[in-house]
Amino acid sequence: GSQSARYQPPSTGFLFLKPAFQRALCVPPKGRMMVGTDYKSQEFFIKALLSKDMKMVNAYLTGDVYTAFGHDSGVMPKGSNKRTHPTLRQACKASVLGISYSMTCVGLAAKLTQDLKREVTEEEAQEYIDMFEETYDVAHDWGQDYLEDFSDRGYDRLADGWVMFGDNENFRSVGNYPVQGLGSCILRRAIAMAQDKGIDVCVPLHDAAYAEVPLNDWNAVKVFNECMVDAFSYYFEGDMKEYAKKIILDCEVWSPELEEGARKVGPWEASVEKIHIDERAVSEYKRFRPYMEQKAGWALL
């Protein structure tokens, strides 16, 4: 775990934190299938809800927070998307992710340079930071107030009791604590709710949980996702609770016994695979597959 109580095991002994292509080695037993569900852009939405920044809430509800930031800030023209303006959208994505972790212009400039394949100065990176803070000013002011309150109080306590004391001098850790921390509370509640429903939850990671269910038990997948949504909305009240119920889930199901494609599970669409190949690592999987061929349970990769 981390100081924010987030599920963050060491990569040395945890398959899903090793290079992404190695996730293909996670194969369920015969007659079972794996379900992985995670919250899409969870921390962006949590901060929007905690701060009650409605511009940020509405940006989340578009389904693409990076393009929404581009539109709201004026970086991308209205009506544009990741297909029409991929480079600008990538710049917005890098900015949203970096700023969410309190990245300075130095770090963001390096990130933008890497992602955009061109030199990005610290001044240009600072412009993205300024635009984000001005666009979602309610959330920004809430974050600044939190840092002052934490300094005065000397500690903070999460909704389910986890405490971080004021000896933490890393402003990033302190600033991320209420958002990441609430995310960890939500995931713990989701796991508990799913287990109470008879779902065999195997692994939590960051903002995702993985379960093993009987083959073709699609109702179990639906129940699992319902628990994820109910847990997410649990800690909010009033209007924010109603918005929280609109959290977007990404759901993946895999087993060598399944037909690949997409399947409707309640209001969600699950991506169905025979082997779980992370979309970030398709080329790496193809390159290393010859070296991975081995008995994995009952299935031959």
Side-chain angles (χ1 to χ4, degrees):
S2 64
Q3 283 193 303
S4 63
R6 196 180 192 214
Y7 291 97
Q8 199 166 292
S11 60
T12 52
F14 187 69
L15 179 64
F16 277 35
L17 279 180
K18 291 184 179 295
F21 76 88
Q22 293 188 22
R23 295 189 180 193
L25 293 171
C26 178
V27 180
K30 194 170 185 177
R32 308 281 285 180
M33 62 186 188
M34 291 295 299
V35 184
T37 297
D38 70 278
Y39 298 113
K40 184 174 182 179
S41 302
Q42 182 199 40
E43 293 184 7
F44 185 98
F45 200 28
I46 289 176
K47 187 169 187 177
L49 294 168
L50 287 176
S51 64
K52 299 182 180 179
D53 188 325
M54 288 310 302
K55 184 178 285 188
M56 205 170 181
V57 169
N58 290 328
Y60 181 85
L61 296 179
T62 66
D64 183 347
V65 299
Y66 312 125
T67 298
F69 166 59
H71 293 165
D72 291 341
S73 64
V75 172
M76 296 175 65
K78 294 295 183 181
S80 60
N81 53 50
K82 65 187 298 183
R83 292 186 300 277
T84 62
H85 292 71
T87 302
L88 288 179
R89 198 261 188 184
Q90 182 59 41
C92 291
K93 179 179 180 179
S95 299
V96 169
L97 293 175
I99 295 166
S100 296
Y101 288 94
S102 304
M103 191 176 282
T104 67
C105 63
V106 177
L108 184 57
K111 175 65 174 170
L112 287 168
T113 296
Q114 178 183 5
D115 287 1
L116 302 183
K117 305 294 190 297
R118 67 171 179 84
E119 186 68 28
V120 176
T121 65
E122 293 176 12
E123 290 75 17
E124 185 179 351
Q126 186 61 50
E127 290 178 6
Y128 277 99
I129 294 173
D130 293 343
M131 283 188 291
F132 188 88
E133 293 176 353
E134 291 168 5
T135 299
Y136 305 123
D137 59 307
V138 175
H140 173 67
D141 292 345
W142 171 85
Q144 296 302 113
D145 290 342
Y146 174 82
L147 289 173
E148 293 181 12
D149 292 343
F150 181 87
S151 179
D152 293 341
R153 188 168 51 247
Y155 75 94
D156 196 15
R157 187 188 307 273
L158 296 180
D160 64 358
W162 182 280
V163 175
M164 182 170 73
F165 292 99
D167 57 351
N168 188 338
E169 297 181 353
N170 186 327
F171 78 96
R172 288 190 179 90
S173 292
V174 175
N176 292 337
Y177 182 72
V179 174
Q180 276 196 4
L182 183 54
S184 73
C185 297
I186 289 168
L187 194 56
R188 280 190 288 278
R189 175 159 290 275
I191 292 169
M193 294 173 69
Q195 289 174 332
D196 287 345
K197 297 280 190 179
I199 305 296
D200 184 9
V201 181
C202 309
V203 175
L205 175 63
H206 300 330
D207 57 358
Y210 299 84
E212 183 186 298
V213 302
L215 187 69
N216 289 317
D217 188 349
W218 298 102
N219 185 64
V221 179
K222 177 174 176 289
V223 169
F224 186 45
N225 287 347
E226 288 172 346
C227 291
M228 295 287 282
V229 172
D230 290 344
F232 187 87
S233 62
Y234 178 83
Y235 292 105
F236 297 101
E237 298 179 348
D239 292 342
M240 294 303 109
K241 189 179 190 72
E242 294 306 309
Y243 285 118
K245 292 177 181 179
K246 299 179 181 181
I247 180 72
I248 301 170
L249 303 181
D250 285 328
C251 180
E252 297 175 306
V253 182
W254 70 92
S255 166
E257 298 180 88
L258 292 172
E259 291 297 322
E260 295 188 335
R263 183 184 179 104
K264 197 74 173 174
V265 182
W268 304 281
E269 185 174 271
S271 173
V272 183
E273 304 170 291
K274 289 185 176 294
I275 296 174
H276 181 41
I277 304 174
D278 192 290
E279 63 180 8
R280 300 167 298 171
V282 174
S283 61
E284 287 86 351
Y285 172 77
K286 291 178 179 178
R287 186 187 318 147
F288 289 106
R289 179 175 177 173
Y291 307 100
M292 296 166 59
E293 291 182 349
Q294 59 179 308
K295 290 282 185 179
W298 63 278
L300 181 65
L301 296 185

